[in-house]
Every structure is written in C-alpha cells, then in structure tokens.
C-alpha cells in the first residue's frame, strides 16, 4: 500500500545525472526540460551538500520548454539550445539530459545528439526523466551514457598507464564528502603502486573518462557502482572488486590486500604501506583513549545514511572503536536484490548485537525509529538534528542533505577518514551540552 | 468561471467512422433550426468543420498560439453554414509532440477568450478524436466542460471497442462532475444485422441508440462538394436523419453513466455475434427457431 513520504532525501534521476556531469571538468550539461528542473537541482541537491555549491545560481544550460514545445514537440528548441550552448560555453563534451515532460512527449533526443555530432560537436545524451527513478538511477544513466557513447566521439588512441583502477559508486553531492573520499581512496591505491582513475572532482576531465576502458580493475564502493562495473566487464572484460561500503579505517587494509592478491602487486610494498597507515591510526586511537573512557564514548548510536556510508562507517565504529550499533537506517532506497546483499553485509559486522536495521527515505519513519532506539549519539543527515536536539544527545551530520556544515576536502574514507571521523564525532560528543553539564 | 452558455455536447468515435461528418450535419441541422452553434474540432487532423466552411482553410488554435503571443477569436474561428462558429483545436504533426496536451491548451485558450460568453451559443459541439488514448482527449468530458457525450459507432468491432473505451472514460469522470453519456449514434448502417448488434451492445452497457444513420451516397457526394447534407441536399432522406438526431439532442437531456464491458466480456460478446452473423450468412437454421 502506498504511504506518504516526508522529506525524501533522494532527488530524481535528472538530478543524479546532472550531479555526475557537473563533477567532470569541461563537461557541459544541457537540460531539455522545463525551467524548474535546473533550479530544483540547485535548490534541492547542490545547495544542500556541504556548502560548496556554485556561486550565485546554477550555470546550467536548459531548453526551458513551454507549453508549445510540449504540444508540438521540443526537438527544435533543443536543437537551438544546443547550438547556442556550444557557441557560448566552451566544453570538451556536451551532455543532454532530459526531464519528465520532454520524455512524456517523446522528443527524439538521440537524433538531436546525432545532429550535433554531425557538426563535429562532442555531444552525448542520457534519457533521465525523473519518473525513471531517483538520483541513484540518474547516476547510472549518466555513467552508462559516457561508457557507451564516448568511444563514438573520441576516436584517438589513449596511452593508458599500467595499473589504472576506475572507482565507481560515489555519487557527487549525494555523498557530501565525495571529493575527499575519492582523494583518500586514490591515496590508498597509490600507496600500493596503482594509479587511481577518480573520474570525478578537481582535474578530472574527459581525459580521465577516455582511459576507463584501459583500466585493469573497477573498484566498486557502493551498490550503485555495480552497473558501471558490469557494463565495463561486458564491453572490455575489466574485472571488479566490490566493497558495498566505504573502506574506513582498517577495512582499507583488507581492500589493499585484496587488490594486491588479485592484481599480483608487490606484497612487501603493500604491507609496508598498511603498517605505516595502521600504526598512525593506532597512535591516534591511543591518544584518544583517555577522553574515550572519561567522556563515555562507548555508547549506543544511530546511524542514518546511504548504504555505503552505513556499512563503511558503521563497521569502523563497531569493530575498531567499540561503539554499540543501536539503529542503522539506510536511505538510498536500493532495489530488493541489493537490500538482501546490504542486510547480509551488515549482519557480518553486527554479530550478537540486537540492532534495528531499516531501509527508509521517509523522514517521519526515520525519526520514529531513531527516537524509539533512544541512542546516546546520532550520526545522520542535517535532518536528524531535530531528533538529536529533542533527545538531547550528541549529533554529527555526515550524510545528505548536509546543510549545516562546510565540506571542502573532508573525508571519512580510508585511514585518514577514520581519524577525521573520530575528531568530528568526538567533538560532537564533547560539545554536547549534556556532557558539559555533567563535567561541570 | 462564468455561467455556462448553452448545451455542451462532446461527440467521440473511432477515427474514420464518420464523426466529423455526423457532428457537422448535426451542427448544420441545429443552425438550420435557428440555434446559435459552435463546433470545436478536437482532433490534430483539424478537419472537423471542413464541410461547414465549404472546404476553406481555417488556422487552428494551436498553430495560431504558436505563431502569435496574443490570439483573438477572429484569428481562430470562421463562420460556416447557418452561422455555425467553426473552431479547430489543431495539434502537432503525427509522431511529434503531445496532441492530448494540445487539446488541453486549446480549450484553455477558448476559455480565456470568453468565446462562450461572447458568442452566447445555444449549442457547443466538441468533435473529439476516437479512442480517448490519454488524459488530454478526455478534457471535453472532464471538469464539467461538456454536459453529455455521444459516441458515433458502426457495427465494426473496432468501432464498438472505441465506444467501450469512451464508456470507461465517462464512467471514470462522470461521478466527479464530468459528462454523462447521452447515447450512441449508429453510423454507416448497411448490413441487416448492424442495428441489432449495436442495440445489443447498447443494452449490455446500459445505454441506448439515439439514431441510425444509413450509409448513403448523398453524404459522400455532399462531402465532395465541401458541404453538409443539410446544405447540399436539404430535402434528402439523409438530411432528415440528421435533423432527427439534432432534434433528439435538442429535446432530450437524458443521460446515463454507462457500464463498459471489461476485456473478456467484450471479447465473448464479439465472438457470440461473430457466430450469429456466420449463421445468418450461411443460413443455419436452429431447432425451434422461427424463420
């Protein structure tokens, strides 16, 4: 039975695709839809993800169709918009993304992209009506468009560095820490002699995407990275390592050892790197020990976020930091088959503890479940602050939407991310008024 | 919204079944009887009112809306036979855009132009594309626009199928203020079994046939001259058939919420009629049947 959904944190497919294209240097998205779609992307997604949205307003090209384009078809409006965009915005690639109305009408988008290519404009398209799915589906559709259409546009032979690894499954802005997380994952790969293909973020351009087919491996960080990996395996027989969640803390060591074994890397180098990183993390944990016990860090927590975050951060807090998993809420609405995998994965990190695990994107339900668990600490999106205040417990915002923190290079992935997480979480616990009252 | 002027009637039917011809002749007959009539073609083909206007061109509402930011009633209407105000909603070329939304946009514009307040019609006839394929084509029977819908149907199964689809739409919208069903106009009646078949369908779906229009050469001939039968052959029997339909629509306000057949019921009903027609054609005589 249907029920009403309060404050969903999953925007639509069009926005997911835009988030991906906007995270690649010199890729110019062209929205073929009504004007609200682009504005909503800015207001509902970009602006709510760690405060690093574009200055002023969203500089996105959009066909801004009106009723006459719905009635008579919007193909010619798109043609005009594409032509004007190419004229005024210099880019390496123009990516047409579509909204609900133009897809309902059935505008022939592939033909428009083909027309552009016939004029030697580098144009790809992704059919991304909001009704086709949520932001995660949009990521899928945009990545698929790049993997399938880029080879038709870029004919030049790329020199692919040996040991290149593509990283999939981190959705820009939907993970507010995506930049930092990717950087840290890159650092881990470099630590064992691999070359990371981050694909998104600073200095990541079409040049990075051209190298995708030549990678030796796909590293899948979330359930949403499985489709790109599968496409690349089918097309180019590139194998994959699938993690389901962010590797946080010592989970990174497991990943590095898997990489070393699968890609036959130098195990001595790998162990040396792991030892150095783990020793630093242990050193940091040791310094934290006194506060940990004095302030009673070991407490039951509620964690609300996307599956990759809940698995990665949850695993680290439980296994490495001795925290007690009270409530885990997975908000990225994965399909049924993936839910089973996620639940199975969580079961391995929660043995013997009576944890409530739910899949929900409904704020009302999430709040009820968190409240019922009576946690001593809440980690979630900015939306969970309200229930944290209500319960008077420490709170750390770390998942989307994140509108009360600035995130520039911060990461919670890897060894460094683990230390950052402890800094942020520990500060939240210490600064919570309850603790201060008790201490004084 | 202003008080509705006149009786608003929507006429539906499968493409090519003769609904524009029927509607135009009813409009002409009503006009001939002294009424003020507006006929609005709600079909992207935009040929609903052709035979009321002697075949002359008429810019469609949507084409005009596309070209001009400000549209006046004179731009999108023409006065045809008997003073009938002819309007064509128009629509996109086949395979492009959304004709359903076009109907919506055209009707919205007519309301903005206060066409009904200014013209003060006694009758407004909407001639709508057949199958009610999407919400846009249900606009005339939704939102209290038309009071009654009639369906033009022959005895062909696909035509009955389209009629049944309209019944589904009426059934859906009528309880919340949409149009109710006035009845079936049986058209192109040629075969002997045709009236009985349509009567039977009407009975099964809780409605009735308001008139039988025989297939006639006069209609084809009049159309070739770009005229209605009422104009081209006013004394013909066929003209009288259309006058009777117009009289019925004028004098009767009866309407029902039809009970459409579901898919298996419709198929079963069709098969039974298939058997009956076969038996009639091949001369099968059943036991105890009177000849």
């Amino acid at each position: 039975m249907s029920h009403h959904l309060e404050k969903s944190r999953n925007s639509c497919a069009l926005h997911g695709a835009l988030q991906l294209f906007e995270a690649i240097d010199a890729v110019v998205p062209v929205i073929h839809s009504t004007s609200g779609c682009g504005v909503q992307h800015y207001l509902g997604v970009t602006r709510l993800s760690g405060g690093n949205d574009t200055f002023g307003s969203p500089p996105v090209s959009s066909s801004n169709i009106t009723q006459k384009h719905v009635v008579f078809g919007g193909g010619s409006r798109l043609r005009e918009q594409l032509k004007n965009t190419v004229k005024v915005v210099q880019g390496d690639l123009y990516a047409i993304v579509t909204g609900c109305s133009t897809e309902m009408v059935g505008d022939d988008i592939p033909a428009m992209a083909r027309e552009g290519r016939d004029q030697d404009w580098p144009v790809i398209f992704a059919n991304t009506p909001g009704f086709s799915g949520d932001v995660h589906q949009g990521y899928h559709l945009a990545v698929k468009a790049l993997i399938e259409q880029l080879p038709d546009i870029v004919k030049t032979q790329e020199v692919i560095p040996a040991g290149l690894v593509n990283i999939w499954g981190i959705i820009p802005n939907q993970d507010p820490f995506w930049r930092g997380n990717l950087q840290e994952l890159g650092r881990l790969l470099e630590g064992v002699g691999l070359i990371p293909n981050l694909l998104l973020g600073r200095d990541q351009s079409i040049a990075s995407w051209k190298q995708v087919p030549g990678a030796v491996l796909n590293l899948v960080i979330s359930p949403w990275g499985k489709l790109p990996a599968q496409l690349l395996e089918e097309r180019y027989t590139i194998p994959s390592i699938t993690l389901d969640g962010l590797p946080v803390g010592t989970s990174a060591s497991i990943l590095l050892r898997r990489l070393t074994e699968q890609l036959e890397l130098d195990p001595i180098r790998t162990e040396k790197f792991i030892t150095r990183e783990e020793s630093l993390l242990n050193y940091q944990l040791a310094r934290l020990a006194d506060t940990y016990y004095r302030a009673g860090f070991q407490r039951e927590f509620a964690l609300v976020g996307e599956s990759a975050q809940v698995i990665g951060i949850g695993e680290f807090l439980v296994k490495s930091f001795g925290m007690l998993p009270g409530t885990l809420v997975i908000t990225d609405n994965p399909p049924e088959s993936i839910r089973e995998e996620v639940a199975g994965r969580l079961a391995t990190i929660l043995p013997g503890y009576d944890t409530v695990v739910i899949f929900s994107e409904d704020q009302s339900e999430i709040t009820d479940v968190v409240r019922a668990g009576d946690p001593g600490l809440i980690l979630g999106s900015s939306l969970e602050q309200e229930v944290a205040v209500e319960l008077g417990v420490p709170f750390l915002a770390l998942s989307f939407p994140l509108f009360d923190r600035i995130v520039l290079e911060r990461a919670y992935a890897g060894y460094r991310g683990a230390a950052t997480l402890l800094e942020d979480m520990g500060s939240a616990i210490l600064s919570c008024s309850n603790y201060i009252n008790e201490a004084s | 919204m202003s008080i509705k002027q006149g009786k608003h009637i929507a006429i539906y039917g499968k493409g090519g079944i003769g609904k524009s011809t029927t509607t135009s002749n009813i409009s002409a007959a009503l006009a001939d009887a002294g009424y003020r009539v507006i006929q609005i073609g709600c079909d992207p083909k935009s040929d609903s009112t052709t035979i009321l206007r002697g075949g002359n061109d008429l810019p469609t509402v949507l084409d005009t809306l596309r070209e001009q930011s400000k549209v006046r009633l004179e731009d999108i209407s023409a006065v045809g036979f008997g003073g009938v105000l002819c309007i064509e909603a128009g629509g996109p070329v086949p395979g492009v855009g959304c004709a359903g939304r076009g109907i919506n946009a055209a009707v919205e514009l007519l309301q903005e132009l206060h066409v009904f307040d200014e013209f003060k019609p006694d009758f407004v006839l909407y001639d709508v594309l057949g199958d009610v394929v999407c919400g846009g084509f249900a606009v005339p029977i939704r939102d209290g626009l038309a009071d009654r819908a009639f369906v033009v149907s022959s005895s062909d199964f696909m035509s009955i199928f389209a009629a049944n689809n309209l019944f589904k739409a009426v059934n859906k919208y009528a309880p919340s203020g949409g149009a109710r069903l006035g009845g079936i106009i049986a058209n192109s009646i040629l075969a002997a079994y045709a009236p009985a078949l349509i009567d039977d369908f009407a009975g099964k779906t809780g409605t009735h046939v308001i008139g039988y229009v025989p297939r006639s050469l006069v209609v084809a001939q009049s159309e070739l001259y770009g005229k209605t039968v009422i104009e081209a052959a006013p004394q013909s029997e066929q003209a009288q058939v259309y006058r009777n339909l117009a009289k019925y629509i004028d004098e009767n306000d009866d309407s029902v919420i039809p009970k459409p057949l579901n898919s298996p019921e419709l198929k079963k009903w069709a098969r039974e009629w298939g058997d009956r027609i076969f038996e009639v054609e091949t001369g099968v005589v059943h036991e105890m049947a009177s000849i």
Side-chain angles (χ1 to χ4, degrees), chain B residues 109-121:
Chain B
L109 180 80
L110 294 179
Q111 284 173 336
E112 277 170 31
L113 291 175
H114 302 291
V115 173
F116 309 129
D117 298 335
E118 286 183 17
F119 189 80
K120 299 198 188 327

Side-chain angles (χ1 to χ4, degrees), chain A residues 3-220:
Chain A
H3 65 286
H4 104 204
L5 198 61
E6 202 179 298
K7 291 182 189 164
S8 168
R9 45 198 91 196
N10 296 320
S11 192
C12 75
L14 170 64
H15 297 161
L18 278 170
Q19 278 158 236
L20 183 98
F21 289 132
E22 286 179 345
I24 309 166
D25 273 1
V27 170
V28 182
V30 179
I31 303 172
H32 184 40
S33 192
T34 47
S35 56
C37 291
V39 175
Q40 198 55 36
H41 170 239
Y42 170 67
L43 295 176
V45 185
T46 324
R47 234 175 60 164
L48 303 179
S49 186
N52 51 103
D53 39 293
T54 323
F55 181 68
S57 63
V60 184
S61 171
S62 170
S63 62
N64 292 353
I65 60 151
T66 58
Q67 177 149 275
K68 72 175 173 184
H69 307 114
V70 173
V71 174
F72 294 101
S76 52
R77 178 74 270 276
L78 176 60
R79 181 186 291 122
E80 185 186 26
Q81 188 63 28
L82 189 60
K83 188 175 133 197
N84 292 345
T85 306
V86 170
K87 223 183 264 178
V88 299
V89 190
Q90 209 173 8
D92 294 338
L93 186 74
Y94 298 85
I96 302 169
V97 285
T98 54
C100 298
S101 42
T102 53
E103 288 293 340
M104 290 281 286
V105 169
D107 283 347
D108 191 355
I109 310 303
M112 289 298 122
R114 211 163 35 238
E115 272 189 25
R117 285 184 208 176
D118 288 345
Q119 304 193 55
D120 288 332
W121 300 335
V123 184
I124 64 166
F125 70 92
N127 298 99
T128 53
F131 54 72
S132 69
D134 69 13
V135 67
H136 308 91
Q137 170 71 355
Y139 170 83
H140 272 172
L141 293 167
V143 169
K144 190 165 179 273
L146 280 163
I147 291 174
E148 291 179 348
Q149 297 171 49
L150 208 53
D152 293 338
I153 294 175
V154 184
K155 300 272 185 339
T156 51
Q157 203 65 38
E158 280 298 305
V159 181
I160 313 285
L164 188 76
V165 175
N166 302 319
I167 301 176
W168 302 108
I170 292 184
I171 305 179
N173 290 337
Q174 194 65 15
D175 173 1
F177 300 87
W178 65 279
R179 287 188 180 84
N181 284 344
L182 279 170
Q183 291 296 333
E184 174 66 0
L185 289 169
R187 191 182 71 86
L188 297 181
L189 295 178
E190 282 169 349
V192 294
L194 293 167
I195 296 181
N197 198 8
L198 305 182
L199 299 167
L200 305 167
R202 189 161 182 256
D203 294 335
Q204 299 298 311
S205 63
I206 286 306
S208 324
W209 285 82
K210 285 195 283 193
Q211 293 186 334
V212 162
V216 290
L217 187 86
N218 292 307
L219 178 57
V220 178

Side-chain angles (χ1 to χ4, degrees), chain B:
Chain B
M1 204 172 142
S2 57
I3 298 164
K4 190 148 77 181
Q5 296 279 352
K7 289 183 181 178
H8 289 237
I9 309 286
I11 298 182
Y12 282 75
K14 181 183 169 294
I17 210 66
K19 49 178 192 305
S20 293
T21 307
T22 308
T23 309
S24 297
N25 275 292
I26 293 172
S27 288
L30 286 167
D32 211 25
Y35 290 116
R36 288 175 69 76
V37 182
I38 302 178
Q39 181 168 327
I40 303 170
C42 298
D43 186 329
K45 289 204 310 295
S46 56
D47 57 357
S48 167
T49 60
T50 310
I51 56 170
L52 284 165
R53 299 179 282 107
N56 295 330
D57 276 349
L58 172 63
T60 70
V61 176
L62 290 171
D63 278 337
T64 314
L65 203 58
R66 181 157 61 162
E67 304 301 328
Q68 305 167 206
S69 56
K70 193 163 170 47
V71 179
R72 296 166 308 163
L73 181 59
E74 307 86 276
D75 302 330
I76 50 152
S77 62
V79 176
F81 172 78
V84 177
L85 190 71
C86 303
I87 296 170
E88 296 286 351
V93 296
V96 182
C98 178
R101 182 63 215 172
I103 302 291
N104 225 320
V107 168
E108 266 174 26
L109 180 80
L110 294 179
Q111 284 173 336
E112 277 170 31
L113 291 175
H114 302 291
V115 173
F116 309 129
D117 298 335
E118 286 183 17
F119 189 80
K120 299 198 188 327
D122 299 306
F123 289 94
V124 180
L125 273 68
Y126 301 85
D127 172 14
V128 197
L129 177 83
D131 277 314
V132 206
V133 283
C134 71
F137 293 97
V139 165
I141 56 166
R142 259 176 16 203
D143 314 326
L145 205 61
D147 321 295
R148 279 181 297 163
F150 290 89
V151 65
V152 179
S153 179
S154 72
S155 58
D156 290 346
F157 178 68
M158 288 320 292
S159 168
I160 296 279
F161 181 81
N164 195 57
N165 277 350
L166 173 74
F167 292 179
K168 286 179 183 171
V170 172
N171 193 279
K172 177 178 171 57
Y173 291 118
S176 53
R180 290 160 63 94
L181 188 75
I184 302 174
I185 299 169
N187 196 35
S188 296
I189 299 303
L190 190 65
Y193 64 82
L197 184 148
I198 301 174
D199 278 343
D200 187 39
F201 173 70
K204 287 267 188 310
T205 50
T207 180
H208 67 287
V209 178
I210 68 158
Y212 305 88
V213 184
R215 184 175 270 285
S216 157
L217 267 182
V218 185
V219 176
Q221 200 178 12
S222 304
E223 276 193 322
L224 290 171
Y225 288 123
K227 287 176 179 174
T228 57
V229 176
I230 302 289
E231 185 182 4
Q235 305 304 324
S236 63
E237 274 181 38
Q238 194 75 7
Q240 195 51 45
V241 170
Y242 289 125
R243 281 196 197 97
N244 290 342
L245 282 174
K247 191 161 181 281
Y248 178 90
I249 288 171
D250 178 22
E251 291 175 357
N252 282 281
D253 285 332
D254 297 349
S255 64
V256 295
I257 297 180
K259 300 187 290 274
L261 301 178
N262 64 30
S263 188
E265 285 169 351
L266 189 63
K267 274 185 200 151
K268 183 168 171 283
W269 175 85
R271 231 185 343 260
E272 283 168 6
W273 268 97
D275 292 345
R276 272 205 237 175
I277 294 165
F278 175 77
E279 287 167 6
V280 169
E281 297 292 315
T282 52
V284 175
V285 179
H286 284 286
E287 207 177 324
M288 304 294 288
S290 56
I291 301 173

Side-chain angles (χ1 to χ4, degrees), chain A residues 344-365:
Chain A
R345 180 75 170 74
L346 283 171
T348 65
I349 61 171
L350 308 169
Y353 203 81
D354 196 11
T355 304
V356 174
V357 179
I358 66 155
F359 293 85
S360 178
E361 52 179 325
D362 174 21
Q363 185 57 32
S364 162
E365 187 183 11

